[in-house]
Amino acid sequence: MSDVLGRVLVVDDDEVIRQLIAVNLTLEGFEVETATDGQDCLDRVLDVQPDVVTLDVMMPRLDGWATAARLRSEESTGHIKVVMITARAQDDDKRRSRGIGVDAYLTKPFDPAELIDVVRDLALSSRTG
């Protein structure tokens, strides 16, 4: 087994945030790929085979909720852990995410240490079970 903690697909239309998340996870030992929006995520997810996908909610073409719902609905991607990372902190948004089956919900601005802990826990649970 390699020292890689897991593979993460980071999806955000904001390049600065996408890179911030990717750098933090890479430094922690994850293998990271990025996508610019929900459609890009769906186009690449089978090639990347991530343990965890981090999703922004507000993105062009396909938003995070629609992307998460599509990931959950497909047999080939239904097992992938999903973390929403969004500026939308309303209870309705959190409820909507839970209804879709999102595994974790972090609001921006997020604490990089908390993000790393959440992704590590989800990647580990993905690999063990």
Side-chain angles (χ1 to χ4, degrees):
M1 184 82 192
S2 72
D3 289 340
V4 174
L5 293 175
R7 186 173 297 136
V8 183
L9 180 56
V10 174
V11 187
D12 198 304
D13 60 318
D14 183 317
E15 185 176 358
V16 173
I17 293 171
R18 194 169 60 240
Q19 291 306 318
L20 174 71
I21 295 169
V23 165
N24 276 287
L25 292 173
T26 301
L27 289 173
E28 201 58 33
F30 289 95
E31 191 176 302
V32 178
E33 296 283 336
T34 61
T36 55
D37 62 31
Q39 188 59 54
D40 191 26
C41 168
L42 295 176
D43 291 345
R44 301 190 56 222
V45 69
L46 293 178
D47 290 332
V48 173
Q49 292 285 310
D51 299 299
V52 180
V53 171
T54 69
L55 281 175
D56 183 20
V57 170
M58 306 304 291
M59 294 184 291
R61 292 205 296 171
L62 198 61
D63 70 27
W65 285 308
T67 305
R70 290 268 297 277
L71 289 169
R72 283 286 168 260
S73 70
E74 299 290 329
E75 190 177 333
S76 57
T77 57
H79 66 283
I80 298 169
K81 303 296 183 186
V82 176
V83 180
M84 290 296 214
I85 302 177
T86 177
R88 298 180 65 112
Q90 292 81 9
D91 287 340
D92 300 6
D93 298 322
K94 293 177 183 178
R95 267 195 299 280
R96 184 174 177 186
S97 293
R98 276 195 300 276
I100 293 169
V102 167
D103 298 286
Y105 194 98
L106 299 176
T107 53
K108 295 175 185 171
F110 59 88
D111 174 1
E114 182 184 8
L115 169 70
I116 289 163
D117 288 346
V118 166
V119 171
R120 184 189 297 118
D121 290 349
L122 290 173
L124 188 61
S125 71
S126 165
R127 289 171 169 236
T128 57

